[in-house]
Amino acid sequence: AVVSTQSRRVLFSFLAEGQDLESLLFHFLDEWLYAFCVEPFFTPNEINILEFDEENFKIRCEGYGEPFDLQKHPQGTEVKAITYSAMQIKKHDKGYDIYVIVDI
């Protein structure tokens, strides 16, 4: 993962990989959770998928946002972990529908 800061607008980018679609989705979401959990508590407002390789199970992406700020961002329930529990990925002609349960 790469983190860079320019005038408080932060870029976080990474490559997620998996052995199948479920593990790819897990690693993709887990990287975003990691980005929030470490300094500077990255809060994305834009995420771009730069590459989605369905055959080799890779996603290259980048997100733009800013560090979490109690004055600007409402606090809610904190996600502790991404899980495989009841994970579903349904492919259709317009893309994918996903269902993920997270630990809070």
Side-chain angles (χ1 to χ4, degrees), residues 32-97:
W32 286 115
L33 180 58
Y34 171 79
F36 179 77
C37 291
V38 298
E39 293 289 344
F41 303 107
F42 180 68
T43 306
N45 56 23
E46 177 184 340
I47 295 174
N48 300 312
I49 304 296
L50 305 174
E51 177 185 348
F52 178 36
D53 184 341
E54 295 177 71
E55 293 180 12
N56 297 303
F57 308 112
K58 295 180 183 184
I59 296 176
R60 190 168 58 87
C61 63
E62 63 186 12
Y64 294 92
E66 60 192 4
F68 181 79
D69 180 348
L70 281 172
Q71 303 299 321
K72 293 174 71 174
H73 305 108
Q75 278 188 288
T77 303
E78 180 182 351
V79 174
K80 303 257 192 264
I82 308 302
T83 72
Y84 283 100
S85 177
M87 182 183 285
Q88 298 175 28
I89 302 173
K90 306 284 187 199
K91 187 174 182 175
H92 53 80
D93 58 339
K94 293 184 181 179
Y96 291 89
D97 290 326

Side-chain angles (χ1 to χ4, degrees), residues 20-27 29 82-90 98-101:
D20 53 27
L21 283 177
E22 288 81 10
S23 64
L24 177 59
L25 176 59
F26 175 89
H27 291 292
L29 295 175
I82 308 302
T83 72
Y84 283 100
S85 177
M87 182 183 285
Q88 298 175 28
I89 302 173
K90 306 284 187 199
I98 63 170
Y99 179 80
V100 177
I101 295 175

